[in-house]
PDB file of all heavy atoms in Angstrom:
ATOM      1  N   ALA A 393     197.113 135.175 350.959  1.00 53.00           N
ATOM      2  CA  ALA A 393     195.959 134.302 351.205  1.00 53.00           C
ATOM      3  C   ALA A 393     195.974 133.777 352.638  1.00 53.00           C
ATOM      4  O   ALA A 393     194.936 133.628 353.288  1.00 53.00           O
ATOM      5  CB  ALA A 393     195.960 133.131 350.217  1.00 53.00           C
ATOM      6  N   VAL A 394     197.127 133.416 353.135  1.00 50.00           N
ATOM      7  CA  VAL A 394     197.258 132.858 354.479  1.00 50.00           C
ATOM      8  C   VAL A 394     196.964 133.908 355.543  1.00 50.00           C
ATOM      9  O   VAL A 394     196.342 133.648 356.574  1.00 50.00           O
ATOM     10  CB  VAL A 394     198.666 132.258 354.687  1.00 50.00           C
ATOM     11  CG1 VAL A 394     198.844 131.823 356.138  1.00 50.00           C
ATOM     12  CG2 VAL A 394     198.889 131.095 353.747  1.00 50.00           C
ATOM     13  N   PHE A 395     197.421 135.165 355.273  1.00 47.00           N
ATOM     14  CA  PHE A 395     197.347 136.188 356.321  1.00 47.00           C
ATOM     15  C   PHE A 395     196.227 137.212 356.098  1.00 47.00           C
ATOM     16  O   PHE A 395     196.326 138.335 356.527  1.00 47.00           O
ATOM     17  CB  PHE A 395     198.693 136.931 356.421  1.00 47.00           C
ATOM     18  CG  PHE A 395     199.795 136.053 356.924  1.00 47.00           C
ATOM     19  CD1 PHE A 395     200.816 135.644 356.075  1.00 47.00           C
ATOM     20  CD2 PHE A 395     199.801 135.623 358.248  1.00 47.00           C
ATOM     21  CE1 PHE A 395     201.829 134.840 356.543  1.00 47.00           C
ATOM     22  CE2 PHE A 395     200.833 134.809 358.706  1.00 47.00           C
ATOM     23  CZ  PHE A 395     201.850 134.407 357.860  1.00 47.00           C
ATOM     24  N   THR A 396     195.147 136.811 355.387  1.00 51.00           N
ATOM     25  CA  THR A 396     194.075 137.777 355.173  1.00 51.00           C
ATOM     26  C   THR A 396     193.460 138.253 356.460  1.00 51.00           C
ATOM     27  O   THR A 396     192.947 139.372 356.555  1.00 51.00           O
ATOM     28  CB  THR A 396     192.961 137.165 354.308  1.00 51.00           C
ATOM     29  OG1 THR A 396     192.555 135.929 354.912  1.00 51.00           O
ATOM     30  CG2 THR A 396     193.412 136.933 352.876  1.00 51.00           C
ATOM     31  N   HIS A 397     193.509 137.380 357.502  1.00 47.00           N
ATOM     32  CA  HIS A 397     192.882 137.775 358.753  1.00 47.00           C
ATOM     33  C   HIS A 397     193.713 138.813 359.513  1.00 47.00           C
ATOM     34  O   HIS A 397     193.252 139.345 360.512  1.00 47.00           O
ATOM     35  CB  HIS A 397     192.665 136.546 359.647  1.00 47.00           C
ATOM     36  CG  HIS A 397     193.959 135.905 360.062  1.00 47.00           C
ATOM     37  ND1 HIS A 397     194.738 135.140 359.194  1.00 47.00           N
ATOM     38  CD2 HIS A 397     194.607 135.951 361.255  1.00 47.00           C
ATOM     39  CE1 HIS A 397     195.806 134.707 359.841  1.00 47.00           C
ATOM     40  NE2 HIS A 397     195.756 135.182 361.101  1.00 47.00           N
ATOM     41  N   THR A 398     194.955 139.105 359.044  1.00 46.00           N
ATOM     42  CA  THR A 398     195.797 140.120 359.724  1.00 46.00           C
ATOM     43  C   THR A 398     196.011 141.313 358.822  1.00 46.00           C
ATOM     44  O   THR A 398     197.076 141.900 358.761  1.00 46.00           O
ATOM     45  CB  THR A 398     197.153 139.529 360.131  1.00 46.00           C
ATOM     46  OG1 THR A 398     197.815 139.045 358.956  1.00 46.00           O
ATOM     47  CG2 THR A 398     196.984 138.439 361.155  1.00 46.00           C
ATOM     48  N   ASP A 399     194.962 141.663 358.052  1.00 49.00           N
ATOM     49  CA  ASP A 399     195.050 142.785 357.098  1.00 49.00           C
ATOM     50  C   ASP A 399     195.495 144.080 357.776  1.00 49.00           C
ATOM     51  O   ASP A 399     195.079 144.375 358.895  1.00 49.00           O
ATOM     52  CB  ASP A 399     193.675 142.988 356.461  1.00 49.00           C
ATOM     53  CG  ASP A 399     193.749 143.962 355.299  1.00 49.00           C
ATOM     54  OD1 ASP A 399     194.808 144.035 354.657  1.00 49.00           O
ATOM     55  OD2 ASP A 399     192.730 144.651 355.069  1.00 49.00           O
ATOM     56  N   ASN A 400     196.363 144.788 357.052  1.00 47.00           N
ATOM     57  CA  ASN A 400     196.860 146.104 357.511  1.00 47.00           C
ATOM     58  C   ASN A 400     197.717 146.004 358.774  1.00 47.00           C
ATOM     59  O   ASN A 400     197.818 146.932 359.537  1.00 47.00           O
ATOM     60  CB  ASN A 400     195.688 147.073 357.758  1.00 47.00           C
ATOM     61  CG  ASN A 400     196.144 148.522 357.669  1.00 47.00           C
ATOM     62  OD1 ASN A 400     197.092 148.805 356.963  1.00 47.00           O
ATOM     63  ND2 ASN A 400     195.470 149.415 358.372  1.00 47.00           N
ATOM     64  N   ARG A 401     198.336 144.789 358.954  1.00 42.00           N
ATOM     65  CA  ARG A 401     199.164 144.619 360.141  1.00 42.00           C
ATOM     66  C   ARG A 401     200.317 145.605 360.159  1.00 42.00           C
ATOM     67  O   ARG A 401     200.662 146.153 361.214  1.00 42.00           O
ATOM     68  CB  ARG A 401     199.701 143.178 360.199  1.00 42.00           C
ATOM     69  CG  ARG A 401     200.648 142.943 361.360  1.00 42.00           C
ATOM     70  CD  ARG A 401     201.190 141.531 361.367  1.00 42.00           C
ATOM     71  NE  ARG A 401     200.109 140.574 361.502  1.00 42.00           N
ATOM     72  CZ  ARG A 401     200.282 139.244 361.391  1.00 42.00           C
ATOM     73  NH1 ARG A 401     201.472 138.764 361.137  1.00 42.00           N
ATOM     74  NH2 ARG A 401     199.266 138.417 361.516  1.00 42.00           N
ATOM     75  N   ALA A 402     200.922 145.834 358.983  1.00 41.00           N
ATOM     76  CA  ALA A 402     202.079 146.732 358.948  1.00 41.00           C
ATOM     77  C   ALA A 402     201.695 148.127 359.370  1.00 41.00           C
ATOM     78  O   ALA A 402     202.374 148.758 360.163  1.00 41.00           O
ATOM     79  CB  ALA A 402     202.685 146.758 357.539  1.00 41.00           C
ATOM     80  N   ALA A 403     200.550 148.582 358.858  1.00 41.00           N
ATOM     81  CA  ALA A 403     200.136 149.933 359.222  1.00 41.00           C
ATOM     82  C   ALA A 403     199.836 150.030 360.695  1.00 41.00           C
ATOM     83  O   ALA A 403     200.201 151.003 361.348  1.00 41.00           O
ATOM     84  CB  ALA A 403     198.914 150.342 358.392  1.00 41.00           C
ATOM     85  N   SER A 404     199.190 148.990 361.231  1.00 40.00           N
ATOM     86  CA  SER A 404     198.834 149.062 362.638  1.00 40.00           C
ATOM     87  C   SER A 404     200.042 148.978 363.544  1.00 40.00           C
ATOM     88  O   SER A 404     200.012 149.444 364.672  1.00 40.00           O
ATOM     89  CB  SER A 404     197.839 147.952 362.997  1.00 40.00           C
ATOM     90  OG  SER A 404     198.470 146.678 362.861  1.00 40.00           O
ATOM     91  N   SER A 405     201.139 148.381 363.051  1.00 38.00           N
ATOM     92  CA  SER A 405     202.344 148.277 363.882  1.00 38.00           C
ATOM     93  C   SER A 405     203.166 149.545 363.876  1.00 38.00           C
ATOM     94  O   SER A 405     204.133 149.666 364.608  1.00 38.00           O
ATOM     95  CB  SER A 405     203.218 147.117 363.401  1.00 38.00           C
ATOM     96  OG  SER A 405     203.762 147.429 362.128  1.00 38.00           O
ATOM     97  N   GLY A 406     202.811 150.487 362.968  1.00 44.00           N
ATOM     98  CA  GLY A 406     203.554 151.750 362.906  1.00 44.00           C
ATOM     99  C   GLY A 406     204.765 151.674 362.005  1.00 44.00           C
ATOM    100  O   GLY A 406     205.551 152.615 361.939  1.00 44.00           O
ATOM    101  N   ALA A 407     204.982 150.625 361.261  1.00 42.00           N
ATOM    102  CA  ALA A 407     206.146 150.512 360.388  1.00 42.00           C
ATOM    103  C   ALA A 407     206.002 151.447 359.197  1.00 42.00           C
ATOM    104  O   ALA A 407     204.907 151.679 358.701  1.00 42.00           O
ATOM    105  CB  ALA A 407     206.304 149.075 359.913  1.00 42.00           C
ATOM    106  N   THR A 408     207.126 152.013 358.697  1.00 47.00           N
ATOM    107  CA  THR A 408     207.103 152.940 357.565  1.00 47.00           C
ATOM    108  C   THR A 408     208.269 152.668 356.646  1.00 47.00           C
ATOM    109  O   THR A 408     209.199 151.918 356.984  1.00 47.00           O
ATOM    110  CB  THR A 408     207.207 154.394 358.049  1.00 47.00           C
ATOM    111  OG1 THR A 408     208.442 154.550 358.756  1.00 47.00           O
ATOM    112  CG2 THR A 408     206.061 154.762 358.990  1.00 47.00           C
ATOM    113  N   GLY A 409     208.262 153.376 355.500  1.00 47.00           N
ATOM    114  CA  GLY A 409     209.404 153.386 354.590  1.00 47.00           C
ATOM    115  C   GLY A 409     209.799 151.993 354.157  1.00 47.00           C
ATOM    116  O   GLY A 409     208.974 151.176 353.760  1.00 47.00           O
ATOM    117  N   THR A 410     211.116 151.735 354.229  1.00 49.00           N
ATOM    118  CA  THR A 410     211.645 150.450 353.748  1.00 49.00           C
ATOM    119  C   THR A 410     211.114 149.291 354.555  1.00 49.00           C
ATOM    120  O   THR A 410     211.162 148.152 354.100  1.00 49.00           O
ATOM    121  CB  THR A 410     213.181 150.454 353.816  1.00 49.00           C
ATOM    122  OG1 THR A 410     213.566 150.809 355.140  1.00 49.00           O
ATOM    123  CG2 THR A 410     213.769 151.446 352.845  1.00 49.00           C
ATOM    124  N   ASP A 411     210.612 149.520 355.756  1.00 47.00           N
ATOM    125  CA  ASP A 411     210.023 148.432 356.539  1.00 47.00           C
ATOM    126  C   ASP A 411     208.758 147.899 355.878  1.00 47.00           C
ATOM    127  O   ASP A 411     208.327 146.779 356.154  1.00 47.00           O
ATOM    128  CB  ASP A 411     209.659 148.914 357.951  1.00 47.00           C
ATOM    129  CG  ASP A 411     210.888 149.311 358.740  1.00 47.00           C
ATOM    130  OD1 ASP A 411     211.946 148.714 358.478  1.00 47.00           O
ATOM    131  OD2 ASP A 411     210.773 150.212 359.603  1.00 47.00           O
ATOM    132  N   VAL A 412     208.106 148.686 355.028  1.00 43.00           N
ATOM    133  CA  VAL A 412     206.833 148.298 354.421  1.00 43.00           C
ATOM    134  C   VAL A 412     207.013 147.853 352.978  1.00 43.00           C
ATOM    135  O   VAL A 412     206.672 146.748 352.598  1.00 43.00           O
ATOM    136  CB  VAL A 412     205.835 149.467 354.491  1.00 43.00           C
ATOM    137  CG1 VAL A 412     204.524 149.092 353.805  1.00 43.00           C
ATOM    138  CG2 VAL A 412     205.596 149.852 355.928  1.00 43.00           C
ATOM    139  N   ASP A 413     207.614 148.819 352.158  1.00 49.00           N
ATOM    140  CA  ASP A 413     207.638 148.530 350.723  1.00 49.00           C
ATOM    141  C   ASP A 413     209.003 148.698 350.082  1.00 49.00           C
ATOM    142  O   ASP A 413     209.138 148.653 348.868  1.00 49.00           O
ATOM    143  CB  ASP A 413     206.635 149.426 349.994  1.00 49.00           C
ATOM    144  CG  ASP A 413     206.898 150.899 350.260  1.00 49.00           C
ATOM    145  OD1 ASP A 413     207.943 151.216 350.851  1.00 49.00           O
ATOM    146  OD2 ASP A 413     206.048 151.742 349.874  1.00 49.00           O
ATOM    147  N   GLY A 414     210.044 148.927 350.877  1.00 56.00           N
ATOM    148  CA  GLY A 414     211.378 149.088 350.322  1.00 56.00           C
ATOM    149  C   GLY A 414     211.668 150.455 349.789  1.00 56.00           C
ATOM    150  O   GLY A 414     212.790 150.735 349.384  1.00 56.00           O
ATOM    151  N   MET A 415     210.701 151.361 349.768  1.00 70.00           N
ATOM    152  CA  MET A 415     210.910 152.725 349.276  1.00 70.00           C
ATOM    153  C   MET A 415     211.474 153.601 350.398  1.00 70.00           C
ATOM    154  O   MET A 415     211.026 153.528 351.545  1.00 70.00           O
ATOM    155  CB  MET A 415     209.589 153.317 348.786  1.00 70.00           C
ATOM    156  CG  MET A 415     208.956 152.547 347.626  1.00 70.00           C
ATOM    157  SD  MET A 415     209.981 152.563 346.139  1.00 70.00           S
ATOM    158  CE  MET A 415     209.805 154.281 345.688  1.00 70.00           C
ATOM    159  N   LEU A 416     212.498 154.457 350.057  1.00 74.00           N
ATOM    160  CA  LEU A 416     213.118 155.336 351.047  1.00 74.00           C
ATOM    161  C   LEU A 416     212.285 156.598 351.242  1.00 74.00           C
ATOM    162  O   LEU A 416     211.854 157.223 350.268  1.00 74.00           O
ATOM    163  CB  LEU A 416     214.527 155.726 350.604  1.00 74.00           C
ATOM    164  CG  LEU A 416     215.548 154.583 350.514  1.00 74.00           C
ATOM    165  CD1 LEU A 416     216.847 155.103 349.909  1.00 74.00           C
ATOM    166  CD2 LEU A 416     215.823 153.981 351.875  1.00 74.00           C
ATOM    167  N   THR A 417     212.068 156.960 352.499  1.00 85.00           N
ATOM    168  CA  THR A 417     211.365 158.206 352.792  1.00 85.00           C
ATOM    169  C   THR A 417     212.326 159.385 352.656  1.00 85.00           C
ATOM    170  O   THR A 417     213.543 159.214 352.521  1.00 85.00           O
ATOM    171  CB  THR A 417     210.798 158.180 354.220  1.00 85.00           C
ATOM    172  OG1 THR A 417     211.909 158.169 355.140  1.00 85.00           O
ATOM    173  CG2 THR A 417     209.910 156.968 354.451  1.00 85.00           C
ATOM    174  N   GLU A 418     211.763 160.610 352.724  1.00 87.00           N
ATOM    175  CA  GLU A 418     212.595 161.808 352.689  1.00 87.00           C
ATOM    176  C   GLU A 418     213.592 161.801 353.847  1.00 87.00           C
ATOM    177  O   GLU A 418     214.739 162.207 353.701  1.00 87.00           O
ATOM    178  CB  GLU A 418     211.722 163.062 352.744  1.00 87.00           C
ATOM    179  CG  GLU A 418     210.906 163.326 351.490  1.00 87.00           C
ATOM    180  CD  GLU A 418     211.784 163.575 350.276  1.00 87.00           C
ATOM    181  OE1 GLU A 418     212.873 164.176 350.432  1.00 87.00           O
ATOM    182  OE2 GLU A 418     211.394 163.161 349.172  1.00 87.00           O
ATOM    183  N   GLU A 419     213.131 161.336 355.021  1.00 89.00           N
ATOM    184  CA  GLU A 419     214.025 161.268 356.179  1.00 89.00           C
ATOM    185  C   GLU A 419     215.153 160.277 355.946  1.00 89.00           C
ATOM    186  O   GLU A 419     216.315 160.530 356.309  1.00 89.00           O
ATOM    187  CB  GLU A 419     213.238 160.886 357.435  1.00 89.00           C
ATOM    188  CG  GLU A 419     212.265 161.933 357.930  1.00 89.00           C
ATOM    189  CD  GLU A 419     210.953 161.933 357.154  1.00 89.00           C
ATOM    190  OE1 GLU A 419     210.778 161.083 356.253  1.00 89.00           O
ATOM    191  OE2 GLU A 419     210.112 162.804 357.443  1.00 89.00           O
ATOM    192  N   ASP A 420     214.825 159.143 355.323  1.00 86.00           N
ATOM    193  CA  ASP A 420     215.858 158.149 355.014  1.00 86.00           C
ATOM    194  C   ASP A 420     216.901 158.728 354.064  1.00 86.00           C
ATOM    195  O   ASP A 420     218.111 158.541 354.238  1.00 86.00           O
ATOM    196  CB  ASP A 420     215.227 156.906 354.360  1.00 86.00           C
ATOM    197  CG  ASP A 420     214.311 156.162 355.316  1.00 86.00           C
ATOM    198  OD1 ASP A 420     214.577 156.205 356.533  1.00 86.00           O
ATOM    199  OD2 ASP A 420     213.345 155.555 354.832  1.00 86.00           O
ATOM    200  N   ILE A 421     216.421 159.436 353.053  1.00 89.00           N
ATOM    201  CA  ILE A 421     217.327 159.995 352.040  1.00 89.00           C
ATOM    202  C   ILE A 421     218.222 161.065 352.660  1.00 89.00           C
ATOM    203  O   ILE A 421     219.427 161.127 352.382  1.00 89.00           O
ATOM    204  CB  ILE A 421     216.520 160.561 350.852  1.00 89.00           C
ATOM    205  CG1 ILE A 421     215.804 159.418 350.118  1.00 89.00           C
ATOM    206  CG2 ILE A 421     217.430 161.333 349.900  1.00 89.00           C
ATOM    207  CD1 ILE A 421     214.831 159.892 349.045  1.00 89.00           C
ATOM    208  N   GLU A 422     217.658 161.904 353.532  1.00 90.00           N
ATOM    209  CA  GLU A 422     218.454 162.950 354.170  1.00 90.00           C
ATOM    210  C   GLU A 422     219.518 162.338 355.081  1.00 90.00           C
ATOM    211  O   GLU A 422     220.654 162.812 355.136  1.00 90.00           O
ATOM    212  CB  GLU A 422     217.548 163.896 354.959  1.00 90.00           C
ATOM    213  CG  GLU A 422     218.246 165.132 355.493  1.00 90.00           C
ATOM    214  CD  GLU A 422     218.934 165.941 354.406  1.00 90.00           C
ATOM    215  OE1 GLU A 422     218.370 166.038 353.289  1.00 90.00           O
ATOM    216  OE2 GLU A 422     220.044 166.460 354.659  1.00 90.00           O
TER     217      GLU A 422
END
Side-chain angles (χ1 to χ4, degrees):
V394 174
F395 293 110
T396 53
H397 64 286
T398 59
D399 190 29
N400 203 28
R401 176 182 299 172
S404 66
S405 69
T408 60
T410 53
D411 295 330
V412 178
D413 56 9
M415 299 297 290
L416 295 173
T417 66
E418 290 297 325
E419 292 80 2
D420 294 330
I421 294 172
E422 188 56 38

